[in-house]
Amino acid sequence: MAAFYIVHEVIAFIAVIVVPLSGPKRVKKQAPVAVSTLAVTEEGYLEQMADSPAHHLPVH
């Protein structure tokens, strides 16, 4: 019975302490590089600019 208790404690130790330390590794995702189709109009509204997303409006 003592052997079963010792094995049980070792397995519990491994499950609680050791496994979370060597848990799954996170893979960093690369951010997509693209020009947005959103633009601020002269009136200050945010709108979709489908025809020319790279057209820059002057800032006053």
Side-chain angles (χ1 to χ4, degrees), residues 12-51:
F13 174 76
I14 291 172
V16 173
I17 303 297
V18 176
V19 172
L21 292 177
S22 64
K25 306 296 181 208
R26 294 183 181 168
V27 178
K28 292 184 179 179
K29 295 181 180 179
Q30 294 290 335
V33 178
V35 177
S36 175
T37 60
L38 295 175
V40 178
T41 62
E42 293 177 2
E43 293 83 26
Y45 296 109
L46 186 64
E47 295 183 1
Q48 291 280 346
M49 302 296 281
D51 56 347

Side-chain angles (χ1 to χ4, degrees), residues 4-17:
F4 175 75
Y5 181 71
I6 292 171
V7 170
H8 184 265
E9 281 191 0
V10 170
I11 292 173
F13 174 76
I14 291 172
V16 173
I17 303 297

